Amino acid sequence: MAYTTINKSTDHFNTKLHTGNGAEQAITGVGFQPDWTWIKKRNNTAVHYLFYAVRGATYFLNSDQTYTNQDNAQSLKSFDSDGFTLGTMAGANNSSDTFVSWNWKANGAGSANTDGSINTTATSVNTTAGFSISKYTGTGSNATVGHGLGAVPQMMIVKDLGTSVDWFIYHSELGNTKNMRLNTNEQVDTSSTIWNNTSPTSSVFSIGTSTGVNASGNNYIAYCFTEKQGFSKFGQYKGNGNANGPFIYTGFKPAFVFCRFIDAANGYDFVMIDNKRPGYNVTQNILEANTNDAENTNSNFKFDFLSNGFKFRGTESNFNDTNYDYIYWAIAEAPLVGSNNIPANAR
């Protein structure tokens, strides 16, 4: 079978760097019109800003905070065909500050999904990339929500839009009785009221009675991800606390890695690594999804993007503590797609 690299105009994920100018500016070169854009200041402390097309360009959440959904006309003003336009808001465009944005393609504002016991207000889906964004209203009773992926999600992130409560993460390696909270460094929690002790299916995910995911009348956003051969990978690895750290096979060269310690202890952060900071191996440029910290370049954070996976070359406990377990999510740099339109593993 012949394989080709996905053309940049039809990519589904891309990292983009920009420098703020304090005035309206168009950020181009993303390669597509994003539907989820996550922006973080690199050179100074600042909260994370997560913008999503399902709600509207100027609306955002903050992954490191419990804040409600905010609206600022001078934040991200529009999603454009090759990127997005920023206004004057300092958190995303302060003059001379440096920023990174991670961009995902879904399917615009989306439409209602009726697969679950709760109908979504809107579900925006990219089945090729295995990514969807859904907005739904809670009932307060055990329920299911349609995600539109047509495959079982390996990871989900849910946030109440109108109440200052935690973010909740499901990861397949943890199972349906456990959850992580994106905005904290607290240990993995066990609760039947988050995912109702029920694993997601190819059409729906389950929610319990916790107000964090299902308060009656409250609006929620859910980001769902399913593994796609040659494009994304979800899994678990064990750290060794050594500069010759573990190698994690993905079958592709990653462009983005998100990982988190999962053993029973507090104090570990969600680590975000990409191939644009600094743009070559070995990278040691780390941001943390649950903190407002500036980019960390400590030598203990050394990390390698390889042709068929990634390898830790530092002893930082946030991703490589001795004999401790971690979960990860990786996205490919340039997926190979066969004539059957299915991404292929690296050879």
Side-chain angles (χ1 to χ4, degrees):
M1 180 181 293
Y3 294 95
T4 58
T5 301
I6 291 178
N7 184 278
K8 199 65 177 175
S9 65
T10 58
D11 269 353
H12 310 285
F13 170 82
N14 202 1
T15 299
K16 182 69 179 174
L17 306 181
H18 72 271
T19 299
N21 65 5
E24 182 172 315
Q25 69 162 323
I27 307 301
T28 60
V30 171
F32 54 87
Q33 180 167 320
D35 298 300
W36 185 30
T37 293
W38 182 330
I39 297 177
K40 177 67 176 75
K41 185 182 293 188
R42 301 172 58 198
N43 61 312
N44 278 306
T45 59
V47 297
H48 295 250
Y49 291 90
L50 285 66
F51 301 90
Y52 49 106
V54 164
R55 184 65 180 86
T58 61
Y59 291 88
F60 58 85
L61 292 163
N62 310 102
S63 66
D64 54 316
Q65 306 291 332
T66 62
Y67 299 156
T68 60
N69 185 63
Q70 304 292 312
D71 181 19
N72 185 328
Q74 289 299 319
S75 57
L76 188 149
K77 302 185 75 170
S78 63
F79 292 106
D80 306 328
S81 61
D82 189 32
F84 52 90
T85 296
L86 295 171
T88 59
M89 189 181 76
N93 192 24
N94 193 53
S95 182
S96 300
D97 280 337
T98 57
F99 298 85
V100 59
S101 67
W102 302 286
N103 300 275
W104 286 262
K105 180 181 175 65
N107 189 25
S111 57
N113 180 296
T114 60
D115 291 339
S117 61
I118 294 175
N119 294 338
T120 68
T121 308
T123 297
S124 180
V125 188
N126 182 341
T127 55
T128 302
F131 168 56
S132 72
I133 313 171
S134 295
K135 183 174 177 286
Y136 68 91
T137 301
T139 63
S141 302
N142 294 333
T144 58
V145 181
H147 52 68
L149 294 172
V152 176
Q154 274 75 44
M155 183 168 155
M156 305 181 298
I157 307 173
V158 176
K159 176 68 174 76
D160 187 318
L161 297 177
T163 305
S164 293
V165 296
D166 292 326
W167 294 72
F168 291 90
I169 296 182
Y170 166 91
H171 195 286
S172 56
E173 294 291 334
L174 295 175
N176 59 41
T177 65
K178 298 184 183 298
N179 66 87
M180 298 178 291
R181 303 189 182 196
L182 179 61
N183 54 289
T184 78
N185 61 7
E186 295 177 2
Q187 67 186 48
V188 174
D189 184 45
T190 301
S191 173
S192 63
T193 64
I194 305 301
W195 314 122
N196 196 27
N197 288 1
T198 305
S199 298
T201 71
S202 61
S203 59
V204 300
F205 65 91
S206 293
I207 49 177
T209 57
S210 167
T211 56
V213 296
N214 192 19
S216 180
N218 286 18
N219 292 320
Y220 295 85
I221 199 77
Y223 305 95
C224 296
F225 310 87
T226 189
E227 189 170 292
K228 289 293 183 177
Q229 179 183 336
F231 179 77
S232 60
K233 186 77 173 173
F234 301 83
Q236 181 174 328
Y237 68 90
K238 187 176 291 291
N240 64 13
N242 194 292
N244 183 19
F247 164 73
I248 293 84
Y249 176 81
T250 60
F252 53 78
K253 184 175 184 179
F256 174 85
V257 172
F258 178 98
C259 58
R260 173 63 152 78
F261 176 97
I262 58 171
D263 284 325
N266 293 332
Y268 292 82
D269 298 312
F270 290 89
V271 173
M272 306 176 77
I273 311 163
D274 62 70
N275 63 348
K276 301 293 177 65
R277 299 174 299 121
Y280 54 83
N281 281 330
V282 173
T283 181
Q284 56 192 53
N285 299 60
I286 305 298
L287 286 165
E288 296 153 345
N290 59 295
T291 79
N292 67 356
D293 292 351
E295 188 171 278
N296 196 324
T297 58
N298 187 298
S299 60
N300 288 333
F301 283 97
K302 289 181 178 177
F303 177 97
D304 247 348
F305 289 105
L306 303 175
S307 63
N308 59 352
F310 57 95
K311 183 176 176 63
F312 297 101
R313 300 193 184 277
T315 57
E316 165 57 38
S317 60
N318 274 323
F319 59 59
N320 188 23
D321 211 347
T322 305
N323 290 325
Y324 285 110
D325 293 318
Y326 299 78
I327 55 92
Y328 73 88
W329 163 33
I331 301 176
E333 176 182 270
L336 297 178
V337 175
S339 55
N340 58 0
N341 202 35
I342 296 176
N345 285 337
R347 298 186 187 184

